[in-house]
Amino acid sequence: MTAAPQLLCRVCGSTSLSTFVDLGASPPCELFLTEDDLLAPEPTYPLHARVCDVCLLVQVPALIDPGETFTEYAYFSSFSTSWVEHARRYVDAVTERAQPSFVIEVASNDGYLLQHCVADGTRALGIEPSVNVGAAAQEKGVETVTAFLDPDTAATVVAEHGRADAVIANNVFAHVPDVLGFAEGLRRLVSDTGWVVIEVQHLLSLIEHCQFDTIYHEHFQYWTVTTAREALARVGLTVVDVELVATHGGSIRLWARPSEVAGDPSPAMQEVLAAEVAAGLDTVAGHAGFADRVARVRNDLVGFLIEASRQGRSVVGYGAPGKGNTMLNYCGIRPDLLAWTVDRNPYKHGRYT
């Protein structure tokens, strides 16, 4: 039996953490089962998010090794055409600000973003741990290193390829249990005058819109500008600007630089920090009440599905995202209430969620 993990804040090391929301037990969110798999037990893990009483990082324990999830991965970014278009605009923004001659993306998936750099003639390198999606990137002409980012990986990449003018970490900052090791890897990859650009879901939006389904085991932490600034500062990166973007129900795009050249924070960053304070996210008490709202959503949803069943109506799903598994398991929704769902990703076709 594996010992229970010690609950330590992965940014400040505090042992004092309070419950944010407890969603019970859930299987890994990207584990889509074959028909034969249904005959065997499915592993589940506690999904209990806590907030650090010291630095206020909201986090879940690292119960699943990322290697189990990301070596063979079900998520291919390019199946979402709107996401590919978002990536194109993202590259345009990075190009305008950083004027890069060399771009590195961490967790580069199937080349959905770096393909735009390649098309523009900018040298690009992906670092992607998933062998299957990394192979898809190579087919697009995006050179890709198969690895998880840590300081050693960064040193190896720099020795072979040099430092980048822009390092992009798009929707991965929530996925790393060793936050400070990952952040140190970012600092080692970027030149001393370059930019680190991080896009990640905003905890403020998650709370405001009760997006509990974005809490799952792949997401080890949930970021505000306040907590991200603290984590990056510990490795010599300073956040100087932030953009609010609509992706994933509300995300933040953080623009950071090596602290020696960072300069003053932008007015936009000051506004977002003030909004977080106004929402109470500068205190532990300000995180209270979310669990009660989540329970009300569950009760309303299950009540609707039960009533639809009583009336002889059929309810089906559109999309099979990993976050859907959080909703289905927390709410106890099974095929008698949701007959089937669809998804554009053929990897998931014929499987069960």
Side-chain angles (χ1 to χ4, degrees):
M1 179 179 294
T2 302
Q6 185 178 10
L7 297 179
L8 292 174
C9 174
R10 53 179 57 101
V11 167
C12 72
S14 171
T15 58
S16 181
L17 293 94
S18 303
T19 291
F20 177 62
V21 63
D22 186 350
L23 298 174
S26 188
C29 75
E30 291 288 354
L31 194 62
F32 291 86
L33 305 178
T34 66
E35 190 167 6
D36 288 343
D37 292 334
L38 300 180
L39 302 175
E42 184 177 18
T44 62
Y45 303 85
L47 190 54
H48 187 166
R50 297 172 173 87
V51 57
C52 176
D53 296 336
V54 178
C55 74
L56 302 175
L57 180 70
V58 172
Q59 55 203 285
V60 298
L63 300 178
I64 303 176
D65 186 328
E68 297 178 23
T69 301
F70 295 107
T71 301
E72 179 79 13
Y73 198 40
Y75 180 70
F76 289 73
S77 296
S78 292
F79 281 109
S80 171
T81 53
S82 61
W83 189 244
V84 173
E85 174 58 21
H86 171 73
R88 186 191 64 76
R89 295 193 302 269
Y90 195 154
V91 167
D92 287 346
V94 171
T95 299
E96 181 178 355
R97 186 176 303 210
Q99 298 293 310
S101 60
F102 180 32
V103 176
I104 294 176
E105 186 187 10
V106 181
S108 50
N109 201 264
D110 62 1
Y112 74 102
L113 184 144
L114 289 180
Q115 65 182 341
H116 303 294
C117 294
V118 172
D120 291 341
T122 302
R123 187 162 70 102
L125 178 71
I127 301 175
E128 168 56 49
S130 302
V131 176
N132 59 326
V133 293
Q138 296 275 19
E139 292 175 3
K140 293 184 173 78
V142 177
E143 184 178 2
T144 304
V145 174
T146 302
F148 288 97
L149 178 65
D150 58 23
D152 290 340
T153 296
T156 299
V157 168
V158 168
E160 183 172 350
H161 300 275
R163 289 183 169 181
D165 308 299
V167 177
I168 296 173
N170 197 16
N171 288 303
V172 64
F173 205 39
H175 292 72
V176 289
D178 181 9
V179 168
L180 298 183
F182 181 87
E184 176 63 29
L186 295 176
R187 176 62 188 93
R188 292 191 182 193
L189 288 174
V190 72
S191 72
D192 290 339
T193 58
W195 291 86
V196 172
V197 193
I198 298 171
E199 190 169 295
V200 68
Q201 189 186 26
H202 195 188
L203 178 66
L204 179 58
S205 295
L206 186 155
I207 293 173
E208 286 182 340
H209 302 296
C210 206
Q211 297 163 340
F212 70 90
D213 57 337
T214 61
I215 297 174
Y216 43 82
H217 300 104
E218 279 183 30
H219 286 170
F220 295 100
Q221 52 273 327
Y222 304 85
W223 294 102
T224 59
V225 176
T226 303
T227 54
R229 181 174 63 170
E230 167 68 18
L232 293 171
R234 290 173 178 260
V235 300
L237 290 169
T238 297
V239 181
V240 296
D241 196 12
V242 62
E243 297 174 62
L244 299 179
V245 293
T247 56
H248 293 287
S251 297
I252 45 177
R253 183 180 295 168
L254 304 166
W255 297 83
R257 306 195 78 185
S259 299
E260 296 81 6
V261 299
D264 295 329
S266 70
M269 182 172 163
Q270 303 286 28
E271 290 174 8
V272 176
L273 288 169
E276 292 177 354
V277 171
L281 298 185
D282 60 331
T283 67
V284 174
H287 293 72
F290 182 69
D292 292 338
R293 293 172 56 212
V294 169
R296 288 195 294 272
V297 170
R298 175 198 60 200
N299 296 344
D300 290 346
L301 175 58
V302 173
F304 163 77
L305 292 172
I306 290 173
E307 183 59 28
S309 178
R310 285 174 176 162
Q311 295 176 9
R313 301 165 64 194
S314 296
V315 180
V316 299
Y318 182 78
K323 65 182 67 175
N325 284 330
T326 295
M327 183 190 73
L328 294 174
N329 284 277
Y330 173 67
C331 298
I333 297 170
R334 294 178 174 82
D336 57 331
L337 297 180
L338 186 69
W340 45 264
T341 190
V342 300
D343 198 274
R344 293 186 65 182
N345 184 351
Y347 186 93
K348 300 178 181 180
H349 294 172
R351 294 177 180 251
Y352 293 81
T353 182

